[in-house]
Amino acid sequence: MSFSGVSPVRSCLLMLFIHMSAPVEAKTVPGAPARTRRARLQPPGGAESIPLDLTPVKAKADDFLAQLENLAQSLYTCSSHKLDEDMRLQFLKNDSVTCNDGSPAGYYIRESKSSKRWLLLLEGGWYCFSKHSCDYRMKTTRALMSSSPWPQTRKGTGILSPKPEENPYWWNANMVFLPYCSSDLWSGTKPKTEDSGYAFMGSLIIKEVVNELLSKGLDKAKVLLLAGISAGGVGVLVNVDRVEEQLRSQGHQGVQVRGLSDSGWILQTEQYKQGDCTHVLSCGPNDMVKIGFRYWGAAVPEVCRQSYIGAEWNCFFGPIIYPTIKSPTFVVRWLFDQAQMTISNVDMTGGVITEGQWNYMHSIGQETKTTVQHALAVFAPACLAHELITRTYWMSVQVGGTSLPKALHCWERSLQDKNGSGGNHGNYNQTNNRTRPVRSCPLHLVDHCLWLNCNPTCPDIYDQPTGREMNAIQFLKQMGLKELKISKRQG
């Protein structure tokens, strides 16, 4: 078929008309004749109606969703108003809220005027909790403490991608990326002082960004998804209810605030090998948050704080803070999270794995599996990895045949149903009385197998010393485990 001589806009409309008019064969009882069903989409003003095939709604929901995704891709490809793919840097107007070094904090934004959904993503990148560790961090990763090296634009991947083939359910949302420059798990409230030489204002940065976005359309939003990876995932757990309260107190209670925490579910485990806190990566989780809580002037949610007066630092741990969160929050957590292994002093830098290390790693997997079972909505593959929602392979990893984008979509649908019925849709009251999900649309996905990378969709493991990517068997062989031992220990 040739479209020569037809304007790009008319060509696009013609392609969409053909796409929407194409009949889809309905599933029938064996032996019965195939048939199609059509609905008429009536435009305003008496214009000619467009046939829209809704047969798959009756036949198979997944086919219908696929048809809508294809339609979205066609609209995206053909549109003469294609979204600017880059997010652009804007510094906060309130220059008293800063990065660690006193430089202005800011955010990257890509607006989508036609959408009433907003996605705010908190970047990750560890932390520092003393002048020594912060000085070292400034020398080695300056962009995580200062805005001076930040580029003017950033491209989004995974859930931040503007391409429907890479991000089927959120590609058209208003995207906001918050660079991490506070080194405080997004919890600090301390301005820069002469004694410390650094500011820790992560919590205040989030507050200021939300305030500025209200004038850009957030005030008319239907949904605000506060997402975060790694340290940003912890930031989601600590801040999601505060953001909801901030909007509600300013009269924007119509905005539904939700959380998505990726790799921020820290466990209170004893280290495999006891380390000191002279270096960030050797400091155990309990010691780290105890020191950091004071150093950062950290603010944690009031409900959790009241439950742990004198030990408020406990509110950084996922299993402790999650039941106190009121806003619906989806948890993404690898069962064998690499950052959890690192702070537990499990050495995976090319040496031989001992039987003790192997058993310890699997005890982490078991404890993760046990604790996330209480989450209302969770995606927990049995893989050795860290972070997922911004990875290019985020659509490929599955648990029980379901990908993370589909699980998030199911979660959104379940929240819409609860909103329609007026029911409570937080986390605390639902953990022991979980609403049964729609069949084929699960939102509580935890791998049943419990040995490292037993899930065939796990991403390859990145080996830092060699820079190689390898599958689980290659990785374990390199670490000194023979095939026979691997088979035996995997059952």
Side-chain angles (χ1 to χ4, degrees):
M1 181 180 293
S2 172
F3 294 109
S4 59
V6 182
S7 73
V9 173
R10 290 186 177 181
S11 174
C12 180
L13 290 173
L14 183 57
M15 288 172 63
L16 290 178
F17 182 86
I18 292 170
H19 173 82
M20 297 173 72
S21 302
V24 177
E25 186 172 304
K27 288 196 172 182
T28 60
V29 177
R35 55 199 174 95
T36 60
R37 295 176 184 169
R38 294 189 182 278
R40 306 290 292 186
L41 184 63
Q42 186 69 43
E48 184 180 355
S49 61
I50 299 173
L52 178 62
D53 181 17
L54 296 179
T55 300
V57 176
K58 300 290 186 183
K60 190 176 181 184
D62 286 348
D63 291 343
F64 182 57
L65 289 175
Q67 185 181 11
L68 289 181
E69 288 172 27
N70 290 335
L71 176 58
Q73 290 179 32
S74 299
L75 286 167
Y76 171 81
T77 303
C78 292
S79 175
S80 60
H81 304 288
K82 189 182 292 187
L83 284 173
D84 184 351
E85 293 190 2
D86 290 342
M87 296 177 285
R88 301 193 175 277
L89 176 62
Q90 296 194 17
F91 291 113
L92 293 179
K93 295 174 183 176
N94 183 351
D95 58 10
S96 68
V97 178
T98 71
C99 296
N100 289 130
D101 69 341
S103 60
Y107 56 96
Y108 291 83
I109 183 169
R110 182 178 62 245
E111 296 181 64
S112 179
K113 299 295 186 183
S114 62
S115 176
K116 291 191 176 182
R117 299 202 299 168
W118 286 74
L119 171 62
L120 275 64
L121 191 135
L122 309 180
E123 186 183 24
W126 293 94
Y127 39 75
C128 63
F129 46 66
S130 64
K131 190 170 189 313
H132 172 74
S133 62
C134 290
D135 286 345
Y136 180 79
R137 182 177 172 89
M138 179 63 84
K139 290 178 183 178
T140 56
T141 50
R142 184 178 179 82
L144 291 175
M145 298 188 75
S146 173
S147 61
S148 58
W150 293 353
Q152 288 300 305
T153 61
R154 291 185 68 122
K155 292 190 180 296
T157 54
I159 200 170
L160 288 176
S161 173
K163 299 177 181 179
E165 65 270 23
E166 298 174 2
N167 185 17
Y169 303 115
W170 278 88
W171 66 276
N172 192 37
N174 295 276
M175 302 288 191
V176 183
F177 175 82
L178 278 64
Y180 184 39
C181 67
S182 56
S183 309
D184 57 3
L185 300 179
W186 293 97
S187 69
T189 61
K190 265 190 180 179
K192 185 177 179 180
T193 65
E194 291 184 8
D195 291 339
S196 70
Y198 297 108
F200 299 96
M201 309 185 81
S203 180
L204 301 180
I205 291 171
I206 296 172
K207 181 179 180 180
E208 285 301 316
V209 171
V210 170
N211 279 336
E212 289 199 10
L213 294 178
L214 288 172
S215 64
K216 297 180 181 293
L218 180 60
D219 58 327
K220 298 179 179 63
K222 288 185 177 180
V223 174
L224 167 59
L225 180 63
L226 182 67
I229 53 175
S230 193
V234 179
V236 169
L237 300 177
V238 171
N239 288 282
V240 64
D241 277 351
R242 190 175 293 121
V243 170
E244 192 278 335
E245 170 58 26
Q246 177 183 352
L247 291 174
R248 185 158 43 87
S249 67
Q250 296 183 45
H252 304 298
Q253 53 266 40
V255 182
Q256 300 170 35
V257 178
R258 302 167 185 171
L260 171 57
S261 174
D262 176 6
S263 303
W265 189 270
I266 305 175
L267 300 178
Q268 275 183 300
T269 53
E270 292 294 326
Q271 291 177 289
Y272 172 71
K273 194 165 54 178
Q274 193 68 34
D276 57 36
C277 289
T278 55
H279 191 277
V280 167
L281 300 185
S282 63
C283 191
N286 284 291
D287 291 333
M288 176 272 291
V289 295
K290 284 180 186 177
I291 299 168
F293 184 83
R294 294 189 299 270
Y295 195 66
W296 306 325
V300 295
E302 186 62 18
V303 175
C304 189
R305 191 189 72 80
Q306 288 289 345
S307 300
Y308 290 92
I309 293 176
E312 294 90 345
W313 48 267
N314 280 287
C315 297
F316 285 106
F317 294 108
I320 288 177
I321 191 173
Y322 184 84
T324 72
I325 298 173
K326 297 177 183 177
S327 304
T329 300
F330 193 109
V331 174
V332 178
R333 177 58 147 84
W334 303 102
L335 292 185
F336 303 97
D337 184 85
Q338 284 180 310
Q340 183 80 50
M341 300 299 176
T342 298
I343 60 176
S344 299
N345 279 333
V346 176
D347 185 11
M348 293 184 292
T349 57
V352 174
I353 291 182
T354 66
E355 187 165 353
Q357 285 175 303
W358 176 263
N359 292 336
Y360 179 87
M361 290 168 69
H362 285 80
S363 72
I364 292 288
Q366 181 60 63
E367 185 172 351
T368 302
K369 184 174 183 178
T370 300
T371 57
V372 299
Q373 289 291 354
H374 299 293
L376 173 62
V378 63
F379 188 84
C383 308
L384 178 65
H386 187 62
E387 302 175 5
L388 179 56
I389 61 175
T390 56
R391 302 295 192 189
T392 55
Y393 53 74
W394 85 301
M395 293 180 63
S396 301
V397 180
Q398 298 183 3
V399 175
T402 299
S403 68
L404 177 56
K406 182 177 179 181
L408 288 171
H409 183 59
C410 290
W411 176 58
E412 282 198 280
R413 287 173 57 187
S414 74
L415 294 177
Q416 290 169 1
D417 292 343
K418 289 171 188 173
N419 285 335
S421 63
N424 181 293
H425 54 274
N427 306 293
Y428 185 75
N429 293 329
Q430 300 290 335
T431 50
N432 295 321
N433 186 23
R434 204 174 278 131
T435 302
R436 181 173 295 179
V438 178
R439 180 173 292 186
S440 82
C441 202
L443 47 88
H444 190 273
L445 294 153
V446 181
D447 260 331
H448 294 296
C449 64
L450 196 59
W451 39 268
L452 190 143
N453 280 40
C454 56
N455 182 325
T457 67
C458 286
D460 286 343
I461 298 168
Y462 177 76
D463 182 53
Q464 289 183 339
T466 63
R468 291 174 55 209
E469 289 188 347
M470 55 190 81
N471 61 37
I473 299 298
Q474 292 170 328
F475 175 75
L476 292 173
K477 281 183 178 179
Q478 176 173 302
M479 302 297 278
L481 285 173
K482 302 297 182 183
E483 282 189 66
L484 184 60
K485 290 184 178 178
I486 294 171
S487 301
K488 182 179 179 182
R489 288 167 185 172
Q490 290 176 351

